[in-house]
Amino acid sequence: MAELFSEAWMKDFATHWNAEPELADALSQIGFNSVIGYGFDGDDTPKGVLIVENGKAVGGEAYNGQTMNWDIRASEEQWNKWIAKPPGMMGLGMAFTSRKMKFMVGDYSSMIKDPRMAGPFIKSFSVMGRV
């Protein structure tokens, strides 16, 4: 298994993302375009990024100065817990309010209030478990 959020891991994540209708198809319906960074709390930059165009992941790569729409951070231990047992809406809300999950870029509150984005965001954690 590739190191969490490494370029190899991100490429595999992109493949699984596109294979999940509750992610790619749902986000395609709202024309979702983003560069999403994933990384570890306390690091200066994210480790990896997922490039999404019209809901589909068109790239997964190591962070290399890309401008991000979202930059999500947590401890490596926390990420591994979520990958092993994906959280639901309540678990993510608690993680955000307790600062176990941090959005360095992006607005968690507005995203989670929009069911068209909240459902796919929650689904992304179970997709991570397939990588």
Coordinates of all heavy atoms in Angstrom, one line a residue, residues 64-125:
N64 N 2.4 20.4 -5.2 CA 3.6 21.1 -5.8 C 3.2 22.6 -6.0 O 3.5 23.1 -7.1 CB 4.0 20.4 -7.1 CG 5.3 20.9 -7.6 OD1 6.1 21.4 -6.9 ND2 5.5 20.8 -8.9
G65 N 2.6 23.2 -5.0 CA 2.3 24.6 -5.1 C 1.0 25.0 -5.8 O 0.8 26.1 -6.1
Q66 N 0.2 24.0 -6.1 CA -1.1 24.2 -6.7 C -1.9 25.1 -5.9 O -1.9 25.1 -4.6 CB -1.9 22.9 -7.0 CG -1.2 21.9 -7.8 CD -0.3 20.9 -7.0 OE1 0.2 21.2 -6.0 NE2 -0.2 19.7 -7.6
T67 N -2.7 26.0 -6.5 CA -3.7 26.8 -5.8 C -4.9 25.9 -5.5 O -5.4 25.3 -6.4 CB -4.1 28.0 -6.7 OG1 -3.0 28.8 -7.0 CG2 -5.2 28.8 -5.9
M68 N -5.3 25.9 -4.2 CA -6.3 24.9 -3.8 C -7.6 25.7 -3.5 O -7.6 26.8 -3.0 CB -5.8 24.2 -2.6 CG -4.7 23.2 -2.9 SD -4.0 22.5 -1.4 CE -3.3 23.9 -0.6
N69 N -8.7 25.0 -3.7 CA -10.0 25.4 -3.3 C -10.3 24.9 -1.9 O -11.1 25.5 -1.1 CB -11.1 25.0 -4.2 CG -10.8 25.4 -5.6 OD1 -10.3 24.6 -6.4 ND2 -11.2 26.6 -6.0
W70 N -9.7 23.8 -1.5 CA -9.9 23.1 -0.2 C -8.6 22.5 0.2 O -7.8 22.0 -0.6 CB -10.9 21.9 -0.4 CG -12.3 22.3 -0.9 CD1 -12.7 22.3 -2.2 CD2 -13.4 22.8 -0.1 NE1 -14.0 22.8 -2.2 CE2 -14.4 23.1 -1.0 CE3 -13.6 23.0 1.3 CZ2 -15.6 23.6 -0.6 CZ3 -14.8 23.5 1.7 CH2 -15.8 23.8 0.8
D71 N -8.3 22.6 1.5 CA -7.1 22.0 2.0 C -7.5 21.5 3.4 O -7.7 22.2 4.3 CB -6.0 23.1 2.2 CG -4.7 22.6 2.8 OD1 -4.6 21.4 3.1 OD2 -3.7 23.4 2.9
I72 N -7.6 20.2 3.4 CA -8.1 19.5 4.6 C -7.0 18.8 5.4 O -6.2 18.1 4.8 CB -9.2 18.4 4.2 CG1 -10.2 19.1 3.3 CG2 -9.8 17.8 5.4 CD1 -11.1 18.1 2.6
R73 N -6.9 19.0 6.7 CA -5.8 18.5 7.5 C -6.4 17.8 8.7 O -7.4 18.2 9.3 CB -4.9 19.6 8.0 CG -4.4 20.5 6.9 CD -3.3 19.9 6.0 NE -2.8 20.9 5.1 CZ -1.8 21.6 5.3 NH1 -1.1 21.5 6.5 NH2 -1.4 22.5 4.5
A74 N -5.7 16.8 9.1 CA -5.9 16.0 10.4 C -4.6 15.3 10.7 O -3.7 15.2 9.8 CB -7.1 15.0 10.2
S75 N -4.5 14.7 11.9 CA -3.4 13.9 12.2 C -3.4 12.6 11.3 O -4.4 12.2 10.9 CB -3.4 13.6 13.7 OG -4.4 12.6 13.9
E76 N -2.2 12.1 11.1 CA -2.2 10.8 10.4 C -3.0 9.7 11.1 O -3.7 9.0 10.4 CB -0.7 10.3 10.2 CG -0.6 9.1 9.3 CD 0.8 8.8 8.9 OE1 1.8 9.5 9.3 OE2 1.0 7.9 8.0
E77 N -2.9 9.7 12.4 CA -3.7 8.7 13.2 C -5.2 8.9 12.9 O -6.0 7.9 12.7 CB -3.4 8.9 14.7 CG -4.2 8.0 15.6 CD -4.0 8.2 17.0 OE1 -3.1 9.1 17.4 OE2 -4.7 7.6 17.8
Q78 N -5.7 10.2 12.9 CA -7.1 10.4 12.6 C -7.5 10.0 11.2 O -8.5 9.4 11.0 CB -7.4 11.9 12.9 CG -8.9 12.2 12.9 CD -9.6 11.5 13.9 OE1 -9.4 11.7 15.1 NE2 -10.6 10.7 13.5
W79 N -6.7 10.4 10.2 CA -7.0 10.0 8.9 C -7.1 8.4 8.8 O -8.1 7.9 8.2 CB -5.9 10.4 7.9 CG -6.0 11.8 7.5 CD1 -5.0 12.8 7.7 CD2 -7.0 12.5 6.7 NE1 -5.4 14.0 7.1 CE2 -6.6 13.8 6.5 CE3 -8.2 12.1 6.2 CZ2 -7.4 14.7 5.8 CZ3 -9.0 13.0 5.5 CH2 -8.6 14.3 5.3
N80 N -6.2 7.7 9.4 CA -6.3 6.3 9.4 C -7.5 5.7 10.1 O -8.1 4.7 9.6 CB -5.0 5.7 10.0 CG -3.8 5.8 9.1 OD1 -3.9 5.7 7.8 ND2 -2.6 6.1 9.6
K81 N -8.0 6.4 11.1 CA -9.2 6.0 11.8 C -10.4 6.1 10.8 O -11.3 5.3 10.7 CB -9.5 6.8 13.1 CG -8.6 6.4 14.2 CD -9.0 7.2 15.4 CE -8.0 6.9 16.6 NZ -8.3 7.8 17.8
W82 N -10.4 7.3 10.2 CA -11.5 7.6 9.2 C -11.5 6.6 8.0 O -12.5 6.2 7.5 CB -11.5 9.0 8.7 CG -11.9 10.0 9.8 CD1 -12.8 9.9 10.8 CD2 -11.4 11.3 9.9 NE1 -12.9 11.0 11.5 CE2 -12.1 11.9 11.0 CE3 -10.5 12.1 9.2 CZ2 -11.8 13.2 11.4 CZ3 -10.2 13.4 9.6 CH2 -10.9 14.0 10.7
I83 N -10.3 6.3 7.6 CA -10.2 5.4 6.4 C -10.7 4.0 6.9 O -11.3 3.3 6.1 CB -8.7 5.4 5.9 CG1 -8.5 6.7 5.2 CG2 -8.5 4.2 5.0 CD1 -7.0 6.9 4.9
A84 N -10.3 3.5 8.1 CA -10.7 2.2 8.6 C -12.2 2.2 8.9 O -12.9 1.2 8.6 CB -10.0 1.9 9.8
K85 N -12.8 3.3 9.4 CA -14.2 3.4 9.7 C -14.7 4.7 9.3 O -14.6 5.7 10.1 CB -14.4 3.1 11.2 CG -15.9 3.0 11.6 CD -16.1 2.7 13.0 CE -17.6 2.7 13.2 NZ -18.0 3.0 14.5
P86 N -15.2 4.9 8.1 CA -15.6 6.2 7.6 C -16.7 6.9 8.6 O -17.6 6.2 9.0 CB -16.2 5.9 6.3 CG -15.6 4.6 5.8 CD -15.4 3.8 7.1
P87 N -16.5 8.2 8.8 CA -17.4 8.9 9.7 C -18.7 9.2 9.0 O -18.7 9.3 7.7 CB -16.6 10.1 10.0 CG -15.8 10.4 8.8 CD -15.4 9.0 8.3
G88 N -19.7 9.5 9.7 CA -21.0 10.0 9.2 C -21.0 11.5 9.4 O -20.0 12.1 9.8
M89 N -22.1 12.1 9.2 CA -22.3 13.6 9.3 C -22.0 14.0 10.7 O -21.3 15.0 10.9 CB -23.7 14.0 8.9 CG -24.0 15.4 9.0 SD -23.3 16.3 7.6 CE -24.6 16.0 6.4
M90 N -22.5 13.3 11.7 CA -22.3 13.7 13.1 C -20.8 13.6 13.5 O -20.2 14.5 14.1 CB -23.1 12.8 14.0 CG -23.1 13.3 15.4 SD -24.3 14.6 15.5 CE -25.3 13.9 16.8
G91 N -20.1 12.5 13.1 CA -18.7 12.3 13.4 C -17.8 13.4 12.7 O -16.9 13.9 13.4
L92 N -18.2 13.8 11.5 CA -17.4 14.9 10.9 C -17.6 16.2 11.5 O -16.7 17.0 11.7 CB -17.8 15.0 9.4 CG -17.2 13.9 8.5 CD1 -17.7 14.0 7.1 CD2 -15.7 13.8 8.6
G93 N -18.9 16.5 11.9 CA -19.2 17.7 12.6 C -18.4 17.8 13.9 O -17.9 18.9 14.3
M94 N -18.4 16.7 14.7 CA -17.6 16.7 15.9 C -16.1 16.8 15.7 O -15.4 17.5 16.4 CB -17.9 15.4 16.7 CG -19.4 15.4 17.2 SD -19.8 14.1 18.3 CE -18.6 14.4 19.6
A95 N -15.6 16.2 14.6 CA -14.2 16.3 14.3 C -13.8 17.8 13.9 O -12.8 18.3 14.3 CB -13.8 15.4 13.1
F96 N -14.7 18.5 13.2 CA -14.5 19.9 12.9 C -14.5 20.7 14.1 O -13.6 21.6 14.3 CB -15.5 20.3 11.8 CG -15.3 21.7 11.4 CD1 -14.3 22.1 10.6 CD2 -16.2 22.7 11.9 CE1 -14.1 23.5 10.3 CE2 -16.1 24.0 11.5 CZ -15.0 24.4 10.7
T97 N -15.6 20.6 14.9 CA -15.7 21.5 16.1 C -14.6 21.2 17.1 O -14.2 22.1 17.8 CB -17.1 21.4 16.8 OG1 -17.3 20.0 17.1 CG2 -18.2 21.9 15.8
S98 N -14.1 20.0 17.2 CA -13.0 19.7 18.2 C -11.6 19.9 17.6 O -10.6 19.7 18.2 CB -13.1 18.2 18.6 OG -12.9 17.4 17.5
R99 N -11.6 20.4 16.3 CA -10.4 20.7 15.6 C -9.5 19.5 15.3 O -8.3 19.6 15.0 CB -9.5 21.7 16.4 CG -10.3 23.0 16.8 CD -10.2 24.2 15.9 NE -8.9 24.6 15.5 CZ -8.7 25.0 14.2 NH1 -9.6 25.1 13.4 NH2 -7.5 25.4 13.9
K100 N -10.2 18.3 15.2 CA -9.5 17.1 14.8 C -9.4 17.1 13.2 O -8.5 16.5 12.7 CB -10.2 15.8 15.2 CG -10.0 15.5 16.7 CD -10.7 14.3 17.1 CE -10.5 14.0 18.6 NZ -11.2 12.8 19.0
M101 N -10.2 17.9 12.6 CA -10.2 18.1 11.2 C -10.2 19.6 11.0 O -10.9 20.4 11.6 CB -11.5 17.6 10.5 CG -11.5 18.0 9.0 SD -13.1 17.6 8.3 CE -13.2 15.8 8.4
K102 N -9.2 20.1 10.2 CA -9.1 21.5 10.0 C -9.1 21.8 8.5 O -8.6 21.1 7.7 CB -7.7 22.0 10.5 CG -7.6 21.9 12.0 CD -6.3 22.3 12.5 CE -6.2 22.1 14.0 NZ -4.8 22.3 14.5
F103 N -9.8 22.9 8.1 CA -9.8 23.3 6.7 C -8.9 24.5 6.7 O -9.3 25.6 7.1 CB -11.3 23.7 6.4 CG -12.1 22.5 6.0 CD1 -12.5 21.6 7.0 CD2 -12.5 22.2 4.7 CE1 -13.3 20.5 6.8 CE2 -13.3 21.1 4.4 CZ -13.7 20.2 5.5
M104 N -7.8 24.3 6.1 CA -6.8 25.4 5.9 C -7.3 26.4 4.8 O -7.1 27.6 4.9 CB -5.4 24.9 5.6 CG -4.9 23.8 6.6 SD -5.0 24.3 8.3 CE -3.6 25.3 8.5
V105 N -8.0 25.8 3.8 CA -8.6 26.5 2.7 C -10.0 25.9 2.5 O -10.1 24.7 2.6 CB -7.8 26.4 1.4 CG1 -8.5 27.1 0.3 CG2 -6.4 27.0 1.6
G106 N -11.0 26.7 2.3 CA -12.3 26.2 2.1 C -13.2 26.4 3.3 O -12.7 26.6 4.4
D107 N -14.5 26.4 3.1 CA -15.5 26.8 4.2 C -16.3 25.5 4.5 O -17.3 25.2 3.8 CB -16.3 27.9 3.7 CG -17.4 28.4 4.7 OD1 -17.4 27.8 5.8 OD2 -18.1 29.3 4.5
Y108 N -15.9 24.8 5.5 CA -16.6 23.6 6.0 C -18.1 23.9 6.2 O -18.9 23.1 5.8 CB -15.9 23.0 7.2 CG -16.7 21.9 7.8 CD1 -16.5 20.6 7.3 CD2 -17.6 22.1 8.9 CE1 -17.3 19.5 7.9 CE2 -18.3 21.0 9.4 CZ -18.1 19.8 8.9 OH -18.8 18.7 9.5
S109 N -18.4 25.0 6.9 CA -19.7 25.2 7.3 C -20.7 25.4 6.1 O -21.8 24.8 6.1 CB -19.8 26.5 8.2 OG -19.1 26.3 9.4
S110 N -20.2 26.1 5.1 CA -21.1 26.3 4.0 C -21.2 25.0 3.2 O -22.3 24.7 2.6 CB -20.6 27.5 3.1 OG -19.4 27.2 2.5
M111 N -20.2 24.3 3.1 CA -20.2 23.0 2.3 C -21.1 22.0 3.0 O -21.9 21.4 2.3 CB -18.8 22.4 2.2 CG -18.6 21.1 1.5 SD -18.8 19.6 2.5 CE -17.4 19.8 3.6
I112 N -21.0 21.8 4.3 CA -21.8 20.8 5.0 C -23.3 21.2 5.0 O -24.1 20.3 5.2 CB -21.2 20.5 6.4 CG1 -21.4 19.1 6.8 CG2 -21.7 21.5 7.4 CD1 -20.6 18.1 6.1
K113 N -23.6 22.4 4.9 CA -25.0 22.8 4.8 C -25.7 22.6 3.5 O -26.9 22.7 3.4 CB -25.1 24.3 5.2 CG -24.8 24.6 6.7 CD -24.9 26.1 6.9 CE -24.4 26.4 8.4 NZ -24.3 27.8 8.6
D114 N -24.9 22.3 2.5 CA -25.4 22.0 1.1 C -25.4 20.5 0.9 O -24.4 19.9 0.7 CB -24.5 22.7 0.1 CG -25.0 22.6 -1.3 OD1 -25.9 21.7 -1.6 OD2 -24.5 23.3 -2.2
P115 N -26.6 19.9 0.9 CA -26.6 18.4 0.8 C -26.0 17.9 -0.5 O -25.5 16.8 -0.5 CB -28.1 18.1 0.9 CG -28.9 19.4 1.1 CD -27.9 20.5 1.1
R116 N -26.0 18.7 -1.5 CA -25.4 18.3 -2.8 C -23.9 18.2 -2.7 O -23.3 17.4 -3.5 CB -25.7 19.3 -3.9 CG -27.2 19.5 -4.2 CD -27.5 20.7 -5.1 NE -26.7 21.9 -4.6 CZ -26.4 22.9 -5.4 NH1 -26.7 22.9 -6.6 NH2 -25.8 24.0 -4.9
M117 N -23.3 18.8 -1.7 CA -21.8 18.7 -1.4 C -21.6 17.8 -0.2 O -20.6 17.1 -0.1 CB -21.2 20.0 -1.3 CG -21.2 20.8 -2.6 SD -20.4 22.4 -2.4 CE -18.8 22.1 -2.0
A118 N -22.4 17.9 0.8 CA -22.2 17.2 2.1 C -22.2 15.7 1.9 O -21.3 15.0 2.4 CB -23.2 17.6 3.1
G119 N -23.2 15.2 1.1 CA -23.2 13.7 0.9 C -22.0 13.2 0.2 O -21.4 12.2 0.7
P120 N -21.5 13.8 -0.9 CA -20.3 13.3 -1.5 C -19.1 13.5 -0.6 O -18.2 12.7 -0.6 CB -20.2 14.2 -2.8 CG -21.6 14.5 -3.1 CD -22.3 14.7 -1.8
F121 N -19.0 14.6 0.2 CA -17.9 14.7 1.1 C -17.8 13.6 2.0 O -16.7 13.0 2.2 CB -18.0 16.1 1.8 CG -16.8 16.3 2.8 CD1 -15.5 16.4 2.4 CD2 -17.1 16.4 4.2 CE1 -14.5 16.6 3.3 CE2 -16.1 16.6 5.1 CZ -14.8 16.7 4.6
I122 N -18.9 13.2 2.6 CA -19.0 12.1 3.5 C -18.6 10.8 2.8 O -17.8 10.0 3.3 CB -20.3 12.0 4.2 CG1 -20.5 13.2 5.2 CG2 -20.5 10.7 4.9 CD1 -21.9 13.4 5.6
K123 N -19.1 10.6 1.6 CA -18.8 9.4 0.8 C -17.3 9.3 0.5 O -16.7 8.2 0.4 CB -19.6 9.4 -0.5 CG -19.6 8.2 -1.3 CD -20.2 7.1 -0.4 CE -20.3 5.8 -1.2 NZ -21.0 4.8 -0.3
S124 N -16.6 10.5 0.4 CA -15.2 10.4 0.0 C -14.4 9.6 1.0 O -13.3 9.0 0.7 CB -14.6 11.8 -0.2 OG -14.5 12.5 1.1
F125 N -14.8 9.6 2.3 CA -14.1 8.9 3.3 C -14.1 7.4 3.1 O -13.2 6.7 3.3 CB -14.5 9.3 4.7 CG -14.1 10.7 5.1 CD1 -14.9 11.8 4.8 CD2 -12.9 10.9 5.7 CE1 -14.5 13.0 5.1 CE2 -12.5 12.1 6.1 CZ -13.3 13.2 5.7

